[in-house]
Amino acid sequence: MKKQRQDDLETVYLAYAKPLYFYLLKLTGSDTIAEELVQETFYRATLSLDLYEGGQVKSWLYKVARNTYMDEWRKRKRWRWVPLYDYLSNSEEYVSPYGIPEEDLLTQESSHEIKDVSLLLPENYRTILYLREFEEFSYEEIANTLEITIDQVKVTIHRARQRFKQLAERLGKDFDRSGKDGME
């Protein structure tokens, strides 16, 4: 029985560690903090695995990750933690060794601009946009993860997109509306 549980945990970790890392990176803006929060998420998930009663593991793990982030944010807020400052001070330029460097640079700049604007959004807007636009969660999956109704999901996504657009315009950012870059 114990061996089966270890295999299940390993399978879940291999399937969801990377997506959870990118989700937490979007929330925090810091590689280091995102890595720590992924570890903490799986630690908490392991502790409460016996209490978990099936359903969708993906939604449950994102719920655990969000709660872990919120706990960390509250703790750091007492120390006047500013995610944007962490992002700016730890920002590194990455140039892909493949493809056309100019295109890579434009994609990278757009990604950084989206990240900059996203970090100005309230946490609930960042979370709901990330789950919908990057993880491609359905409205139902988002509702289960955030413990809200599907109608609240739709309204919050609409408001988050509007707020993102307002902030982007205020900052003079113009995103391509054809793909995920625009948070359509």
Side-chain angles (χ1 to χ4, degrees), residues 107-121:
T107 301
Q108 181 182 359
E109 286 176 2
S110 178
S111 176
H112 285 300
E113 289 175 350
I114 290 172
K115 190 175 186 179
D116 291 344
V117 174
S118 295
L119 287 172
L120 297 174
L121 292 171

Side-chain angles (χ1 to χ4, degrees), residues 114-178:
I114 290 172
K115 190 175 186 179
D116 291 344
V117 174
S118 295
L119 287 172
L120 297 174
L121 292 171
E123 179 277 329
N124 62 327
Y125 284 2
R126 283 195 317 259
T127 294
I128 207 161
L129 284 176
Y130 181 81
L131 294 177
R132 182 67 180 162
E133 303 296 338
F134 294 96
E135 289 297 323
E136 299 177 354
F137 272 37
S138 68
Y139 289 149
E140 185 177 322
E141 289 174 317
I142 294 171
N144 289 337
T145 301
L146 302 180
E147 297 178 336
I148 59 178
T149 67
I150 291 178
D151 288 337
Q152 287 174 311
V153 169
K154 292 176 182 179
V155 168
T156 306
I157 287 174
H158 175 74
R159 289 179 180 166
R161 287 176 177 158
Q162 292 298 104
R163 185 69 181 134
F164 182 91
K165 183 179 175 184
Q166 290 170 350
L167 288 170
E169 288 173 356
R170 188 176 301 154
L171 296 173
K173 310 289 185 196
D174 184 29
F175 298 110
D176 176 25
R177 300 294 290 169
S178 63

Side-chain angles (χ1 to χ4, degrees), residues 41-54:
T41 296
F42 278 98
Y43 172 73
R44 290 182 182 188
T46 302
L47 292 178
S48 61
L49 191 61
D50 294 334
L51 302 175
Y52 181 64
E53 297 179 11

Side-chain angles (χ1 to χ4, degrees), residues 5-144:
R5 182 175 173 192
Q6 282 181 321
D7 290 344
D8 290 346
L9 285 172
E10 185 175 344
T11 302
V12 169
Y13 180 81
L14 292 173
Y16 297 110
K18 194 171 186 176
L20 285 172
Y21 166 78
F22 288 116
Y23 165 61
L24 292 165
L25 180 62
K26 290 285 184 188
L27 288 178
T28 64
S30 169
D31 294 337
T32 307
I33 295 171
E35 289 173 6
E36 290 173 10
L37 292 178
V38 168
Q39 291 174 13
E40 181 67 19
T41 296
F42 278 98
Y43 172 73
R44 290 182 182 188
T46 302
L47 292 178
S48 61
L49 191 61
D50 294 334
L51 302 175
Y52 181 64
E53 297 179 11
Q56 294 201 5
V57 173
K58 183 178 181 181
S59 296
W60 177 66
L61 279 174
Y62 275 84
K63 186 184 303 184
V64 173
R66 181 172 186 251
N67 290 338
T68 302
Y69 165 76
M70 294 301 292
D71 291 345
E72 182 70 15
W73 181 78
R74 284 184 203 105
K75 182 172 73 175
R76 289 181 181 259
K77 187 176 179 182
R78 285 183 249 142
W79 296 99
R80 298 186 185 268
W81 176 54
V82 181
L84 183 58
Y85 175 76
D86 282 350
Y87 163 69
L88 293 175
S89 64
N90 294 326
S91 179
E92 297 178 18
E93 295 296 322
Y94 295 102
V95 178
S96 173
Y98 309 104
I100 301 170
E102 291 84 6
E103 289 178 6
D104 292 340
L105 183 60
L106 290 174
T107 301
Q108 181 182 359
E109 286 176 2
S110 178
S111 176
H112 285 300
E113 289 175 350
I114 290 172
K115 190 175 186 179
D116 291 344
V117 174
S118 295
L119 287 172
L120 297 174
L121 292 171
E123 179 277 329
N124 62 327
Y125 284 2
R126 283 195 317 259
T127 294
I128 207 161
L129 284 176
Y130 181 81
L131 294 177
R132 182 67 180 162
E133 303 296 338
F134 294 96
E135 289 297 323
E136 299 177 354
F137 272 37
S138 68
Y139 289 149
E140 185 177 322
E141 289 174 317
I142 294 171
N144 289 337

